[in-house]
Amino acid sequence: MLHRCLDVGINFFDSAEAYSWGESEKLLGRVIKGRRDKVVICTKAAPSLAPVKDPKTNKFKLGQPVSFTRKILAQKCEGSLRRLGTDHLDLFLLHDDDGKTPPAEIAESMDRLVKAGKVRYWGLSNFSAASVRRYASLPRQNSRSRVSGTEDYFHIAAGLRMPTDLLKVVGNAGWASWPSARRTAAGCHPDARRTRPTGPWWPRWMKWLPSWTRPGPGY
């Protein structure tokens, strides 16, 4: 299926270390081998270690909780790079809020990964509107990379809708927002091939995403 996606022009793939705890990334890495420059890769860091029992199960399980310290984020990034067989991640997301680490500390750690060339853009996934607002409120610094957007559950057929307050926070911050259905490749849509966004604040990688993933300011 993934090979077919590439053949028809789908080029945005969403994964995570917690999807079968590394197996999803390994599979994607094998598929994109030799075609890395043709795809945009998003993966996510979970606020936990792999579960001791059944780490490869298809059921989403978390293990021992961890905090998103600089060391942990660097380790998780390196692990994803190794499993995907690449030297950089186009988009690196925090898969959930660890509930402990201050946003400013996480932003600094992610900025180090960006400046090291290991990550191009970073963002949040499954964060509450209140938590996202704290990231949006961080002081702007020209020398530091900032959150590019959020990924959250949105599936009309399944009745999953993003909270209005979250959409407002994301839109007012000038970030991107794209949908995720459970266990699917978010953004993998035929219209994602070469849709070009408008507005000076859209990250460059957004040109690959479909128009229905992009809220406007004040949404």
Side-chain angles (χ1 to χ4, degrees):
M1 180 182 293
L2 292 177
H3 284 293
R4 178 57 179 163
C5 287
L6 288 169
D7 291 340
V8 300
I10 294 173
N11 61 359
F12 182 91
F13 294 92
D14 176 82
S15 189
E17 66 164 340
Y19 294 168
S20 295
W21 284 98
E23 296 304 306
S24 173
E25 290 179 324
K26 290 177 183 178
L27 174 61
L28 182 57
R30 292 196 296 270
V31 171
I32 66 173
K33 187 175 182 179
R35 295 196 276 189
R36 178 64 181 92
D37 61 334
K38 306 294 184 182
V39 299
V40 179
I41 299 299
C42 168
T43 195
K44 299 179 281 294
S48 83
L49 302 177
V52 176
K53 295 183 178 180
D54 302 322
K56 296 182 180 180
T57 179
N58 284 327
K59 294 181 179 179
F60 189 85
K61 293 182 178 180
L62 297 178
Q64 179 182 343
V66 297
S67 298
F68 284 134
T69 63
R70 182 184 302 174
K71 180 179 179 181
I72 288 294
L73 286 174
Q75 290 175 344
K76 287 179 174 289
C77 178
E78 291 293 346
S80 290
L81 291 173
R82 182 177 63 256
R83 290 186 292 270
L84 288 163
T86 183
D87 62 355
H88 71 279
L89 304 174
D90 297 299
L91 186 57
F92 191 39
L93 307 180
L94 304 180
H95 209 162
D96 205 343
D97 192 349
D98 70 358
K100 300 177 181 178
T101 312
E105 182 179 331
I106 288 178
E108 181 65 30
S109 299
M110 295 298 255
D111 184 60
R112 285 176 173 266
L113 295 175
V114 172
K115 290 179 177 177
K118 299 179 184 297
V119 173
R120 289 185 173 175
Y121 300 96
W122 66 280
L124 313 172
S125 180
N126 302 326
F127 279 59
S128 68
S131 295
V132 171
R133 189 176 291 110
R134 286 194 285 272
Y135 282 85
S137 300
L138 290 175
R140 291 178 178 270
Q141 296 182 14
N142 293 332
S143 61
R144 187 174 73 188
S145 61
R146 304 179 70 243
V147 171
S148 294
T150 68
E151 178 183 302
D152 296 279
Y153 293 136
F154 181 85
H155 195 305
I156 295 176
L160 293 170
R161 296 180 181 275
M162 293 173 66
T164 302
D165 56 345
L166 176 59
L167 284 173
K168 287 182 177 179
V169 172
V170 173
N172 289 332
W175 296 349
S177 181
W178 55 100
S180 171
R182 291 180 184 273
R183 306 298 301 189
T184 66
C188 289
H189 186 281
D191 291 343
R193 300 178 199 175
R194 286 293 181 270
T195 303
R196 293 189 177 277
T198 58
W201 40 269
W202 290 106
R204 288 190 298 275
W205 58 265
M206 281 299 292
K207 67 183 180 182
W208 285 288
L209 300 189
S211 58
W212 45 262
T213 66
R214 305 194 304 264
Y219 188 95

